[in-house]
Amino acid sequence: MSVGPSANPVTPLILVADDDADILALARFGLADCGYEVVTAVDGQDALELALALRPDVAVLDVNMPGLTGPEVATRIRQDESIFDTPLILFSAAALDDDVSRYRDAGADQFLGKPFQLRQLVETVEGLLGSAPARARNAA
Amino acid sequence: MDGRVTRLNLSENGPEGAATATSGGGAVVVPLPSGKEFADRQALEGELRSTRAELERNAAELERRTAELECVRSDFEQLAYVVSHDLSQPLTTVAGFAEMLARRYRGRLDVDADEFIHFIVNGSRRLQRMLDDLMTYSRVGSQATLTQRVDCSALVGNVIASFHNSIIDLDAKVSVGSLPTVSGSAEQLGEVFRHLIANALEYTDGVAPRVEVSGERDHHGFYFAVADNGVGIKGRQAERIFEIFQRLHPHDSHTGAGLAICKRIVEKHGGTIWVESRPEGGSRFAFTIADRESGES
């Protein structure tokens, strides 16, 4: 796991989980560039633990990860009363309409097809954050 | 004579050659073909048999080649899809970091560095557009439902409405004749009209664009044309422009896939597309669409 440059508690915290190191780096730097604090995970279990520990303002989860898949992490997040309302983005390559509706059933608020442009990720995160204030959370 | 034949004598020795059928009531003499006629008929029958066998062989060969071609086409679509999709992934990373470099470091390095970054950003954006277009091109065959009833007047009306601002800015005039309703994919045919009209508005050599969209049904199917008063298309260019990534105007921002996509869509609709120069200047892009409802093409 790695944390972006800002440690300001009012800065929204974004959790990004993907087993592709390039995509993870792009998301981490790109979101940090837009002023977000970013925490990253390389598998589903890691992502779930970070979500429980840090209560991110948005979680961005790859569908196909080793250990727990993105939809499985989403389901667990929705079942946990301390983080059930976390806005969730799932992303995946070559998803069919049926897959996307399955991801929504698992609890995803938004879906992004891979490959995505950095701008699309930032806009989707911004859309979910809306004007909601960053969550109060314990410092990581 | 009860009609039952009890004995049949065949003779080719007589001057006329005859068959004698004997039944209870008497004999009936039926003339037989002469030896030469018999041989001619046998030769003809032999010829017919061998022609039929050859036809059957040709039909089988055609069937085999069609299946082979279909296989190649499907392999190509699959390859193009995989190439465009899988190459996009690392490109996204390159483009994303190049854009971050540009944003964070523009003006903080030297002039050369700014220019290099500019080339990386532009090159990766262009490559991304080409891969997107290749993906669209590869999906033309597999994605569309070709059985919608498409009211082309309404379809072209919507396309023109989407160009509203450009039409005003360019002082363009776009006229549309009465267009038929066809059977096909509204989305794909809309893409063909959108592309042809966009080209007609864009390549004008500075004069106010005049675009005419027409269409009709004839006994072959449907015929449509988009004519303009633009720069026109000369000689061999007319063949090249329907090939993917061929650009007549290398300095514009297009990838050169649009007309190749149009060609593929039109062919999927059982038609052909071509361009001709107009004597009064400008060009006319024309295409046909098969009449699927009456079974003609």
Side-chain angles (χ1 to χ4, degrees), chain A residues 20 22-23 25-26 29-30 33 93-94 114-118, chain B residues 81 85 88-90 92-93 95-97 99-100 103-104 128:
Chain A
D20 183 322
D22 287 351
I23 292 182
L26 180 66
F29 284 105
D33 240 24
K114 271 188 189 174
F116 53 82
Q117 307 294 312
L118 187 52
Chain B
Y81 177 81
H85 189 273
S88 282
Q89 196 70 72
T92 300
T93 311
F97 277 105
E99 282 174 29
M100 269 190 274
R103 204 165 47 238
R104 279 201 203 177
Q128 186 62 58

Side-chain angles (χ1 to χ4, degrees), chain B residues 81-159:
Chain B
Y81 177 81
V82 168
V83 164
S84 54
H85 189 273
D86 292 3
L87 296 191
S88 282
Q89 196 70 72
L91 178 61
T92 300
T93 311
V94 173
F97 277 105
E99 282 174 29
M100 269 190 274
L101 256 183
R103 204 165 47 238
R104 279 201 203 177
Y105 295 98
R106 181 167 293 135
R108 291 168 57 185
L109 305 167
D110 62 18
V111 177
D112 277 356
D114 281 354
E115 199 175 349
F116 297 166
I117 293 169
H118 169 82
F119 281 123
I120 298 172
V121 170
N122 280 4
S124 51
R125 277 184 192 154
R126 181 167 161 66
L127 182 51
Q128 186 62 58
R129 284 198 305 275
M130 291 173 84
L131 291 177
D132 290 346
D133 285 346
L134 185 59
M135 172 107 68
T136 306
Y137 183 80
S138 73
R139 285 173 142 183
V140 166
S142 55
Q143 286 222 317
T145 314
L146 300 179
T147 50
Q148 295 170 305
R149 278 182 68 73
V150 186
D151 174 351
C152 291
S153 286
L155 186 72
V156 170
N158 288 338
V159 170

Side-chain angles (χ1 to χ4, degrees), chain B:
Chain B
M1 181 170 170
D2 62 3
R4 270 186 308 141
V5 174
T6 52
R7 214 168 79 194
L8 186 67
N9 291 326
L10 288 177
S11 164
E12 285 189 68
N13 298 331
E16 293 290 310
T20 315
T22 312
S23 70
V28 179
V29 178
V30 183
L32 269 182
S34 71
K36 182 174 176 308
E37 279 173 345
F38 193 70
D40 283 352
R41 186 187 292 178
Q42 274 193 322
L44 271 175
E45 279 175 359
E47 213 169 290
L48 195 65
R49 270 196 301 276
S50 94
T51 308
R52 183 181 294 161
E54 197 181 324
L55 264 176
E56 280 168 3
R57 271 198 308 279
N58 284 349
E61 175 68 9
L62 192 66
E63 206 170 304
R64 193 184 65 75
R65 287 203 183 174
T66 308
E68 210 173 86
L69 198 65
E70 197 46 52
C71 202
V72 169
R73 186 192 290 265
S74 136
D75 281 354
F76 162 75
E77 285 177 5
Q78 180 72 14
L79 177 72
Y81 177 81
V82 168
V83 164
S84 54
H85 189 273
D86 292 3
L87 296 191
S88 282
Q89 196 70 72
L91 178 61
T92 300
T93 311
V94 173
F97 277 105
E99 282 174 29
M100 269 190 274
L101 256 183
R103 204 165 47 238
R104 279 201 203 177
Y105 295 98
R106 181 167 293 135
R108 291 168 57 185
L109 305 167
D110 62 18
V111 177
D112 277 356
D114 281 354
E115 199 175 349
F116 297 166
I117 293 169
H118 169 82
F119 281 123
I120 298 172
V121 170
N122 280 4
S124 51
R125 277 184 192 154
R126 181 167 161 66
L127 182 51
Q128 186 62 58
R129 284 198 305 275
M130 291 173 84
L131 291 177
D132 290 346
D133 285 346
L134 185 59
M135 172 107 68
T136 306
Y137 183 80
S138 73
R139 285 173 142 183
V140 166
S142 55
Q143 286 222 317
T145 314
L146 300 179
T147 50
Q148 295 170 305
R149 278 182 68 73
V150 186
D151 174 351
C152 291
S153 286
L155 186 72
V156 170
N158 288 338
V159 170
I160 291 170
S162 74
F163 286 114
H164 179 76
N165 291 344
S166 309
I167 289 172
I168 289 175
D169 291 348
L170 296 164
D171 192 24
K173 288 216 162 34
V174 182
S175 59
V176 185
S178 162
L179 303 179
T181 294
V182 303
S183 181
S185 156
E187 188 187 340
Q188 292 195 342
L189 293 175
E191 186 60 24
V192 173
F193 283 115
R194 192 195 63 72
H195 194 84
L196 296 182
I197 293 169
N199 274 2
L201 291 173
E202 181 165 350
Y203 299 111
T204 57
D205 224 1
V207 297
R210 296 286 174 268
V211 185
E212 292 161 30
V213 184
S214 56
E216 61 185 28
R217 182 182 196 159
D218 64 18
H219 59 281
H220 293 301
F222 299 97
Y223 168 91
F224 295 94
V226 177
D228 63 51
N229 60 339
V231 293
I233 311 249
K234 310 275 180 307
R236 288 184 53 222
Q237 292 179 334
E239 295 159 25
R240 281 183 46 220
I241 54 169
F242 293 104
E243 292 169 19
I244 194 162
F245 301 141
Q246 287 291 339
R247 297 189 301 159
L248 299 188
H249 310 276
H251 300 297
D252 66 24
S253 61
H254 301 300
T255 63
L259 286 173
I261 292 169
C262 289
K263 179 169 187 271
R264 216 160 138 72
I265 291 174
V266 166
E267 285 173 354
K268 281 285 165 189
H269 284 76
T272 52
I273 187 168
W274 68 96
V275 62
E276 48 205 42
S277 287
R278 304 171 81 194
E280 65 269 43
S283 50
R284 176 190 288 109
F285 282 85
F287 64 95
T288 56
I289 293 289
D291 187 348
R292 290 174 196 275
E293 282 173 11
S294 72
E296 291 173 11
S297 62

